[in-house]
Amino acid sequence: MDHEQRNWINRYLMPDEYVLWNGRPGKGHLLAPSDIYMIPFSIMWCGFAIVWETGVLTGGAPFFFKLWGIPFVCVGLYMVFGRFIFKSYIRKETIYVITNKRIFSFKRNQIQTLDYHMNPTRNVTRYQDGTGTIRFYTTSTFNIFFNPGQSFGQNDQYFELENISDVDRVLQILSN
């Protein structure tokens, strides 16, 4: 952590709080478990939109129909390619900080904190290269009360340290 980052982070610390670890997400592992469903859907969406737009443009359809398909093609291209480019961009702008009291996630202009001593449920995903993702779940009592058929773990809020190097070391820091 350079001097400028240290000064910037110190603005958010309480008087008796100090930094134990800081890091950034790695470049790899852009796929998430939800991509099992998202990739086929996005390919079908984009393929249909491109075929439809090509047919409209070459078939002499009215001008409105030519315009109508453009947003669908753009959404399809984002779902197939753009979301991975955007995820990489956000990772470059992300800093994680673990203190003796809290975990911070600084993503562009958004700051999230979590008091990890309150013992939220943790889920750890380890990759073969030693990196991993630690996700902290906090069950919302509101969700359980108003959705009685819903089980714990569904639509819970989570906080994650995504694709961090040496995930075992970070887990050890969190355990102390």
Side-chain angles (χ1 to χ4, degrees):
M1 177 167 36
D2 64 11
H3 183 69
E4 182 181 325
Q5 284 179 338
R6 185 172 288 124
N7 287 338
W8 182 71
I9 290 169
N10 285 338
R11 294 186 307 177
Y12 298 100
L13 300 180
M14 294 184 278
D16 58 341
E17 191 171 22
Y18 53 91
V19 175
L20 299 172
W21 177 87
N22 71 301
R24 293 180 176 272
K27 293 183 179 180
H29 308 290
L30 290 174
L31 294 177
S34 62
D35 287 325
I36 290 173
Y37 304 105
M38 190 63 183
I39 289 174
F41 175 78
S42 63
I43 291 171
M44 288 183 351
W45 176 292
C46 190
F48 176 78
I50 289 172
V51 167
W52 190 85
E53 186 67 15
T54 302
V56 168
L57 291 174
T58 59
F63 182 72
F64 174 75
F65 289 117
K66 294 176 183 177
L67 288 178
W68 181 259
I70 293 173
F72 292 95
V73 171
C74 291
V75 168
L77 291 172
Y78 174 79
M79 288 191 308
V80 172
F81 303 109
R83 64 194 177 101
F84 298 112
I85 295 168
F86 184 69
K87 191 173 189 177
S88 294
Y89 171 73
I90 291 297
R91 281 185 178 179
K92 289 179 187 175
E93 302 290 322
T94 299
I95 299 173
Y96 299 129
V97 176
I98 299 175
T99 70
N100 59 321
K101 296 183 181 275
R102 301 178 285 174
I103 302 174
F104 290 87
S105 173
F106 299 95
K107 292 183 182 183
R108 298 183 66 202
N109 58 356
Q110 179 186 13
I111 300 171
Q112 290 181 304
T113 62
L114 173 74
D115 182 357
Y116 63 92
H117 295 293
M118 300 214 28
N119 204 14
T121 305
R122 295 179 196 170
N123 181 10
V124 180
T125 304
R126 287 182 178 87
Y127 304 109
Q128 291 179 351
D129 62 357
T131 63
T133 297
I134 305 170
R135 185 175 279 182
F136 300 87
Y137 291 95
T138 54
T139 302
S140 171
T141 308
F142 178 83
N143 282 343
I144 301 298
F145 182 74
F146 287 103
N147 298 315
Q150 178 178 316
S151 65
F152 284 96
Q154 294 178 338
N155 295 330
D156 290 344
Q157 295 178 347
Y158 67 90
F159 181 96
E160 71 179 355
L161 301 173
E162 180 184 25
N163 200 35
I164 54 176
S165 61
D166 198 7
V167 69
D168 291 325
R169 181 174 163 252
V170 173
L171 284 169
Q172 185 179 28
I173 291 169
L174 292 172
S175 296
N176 295 334

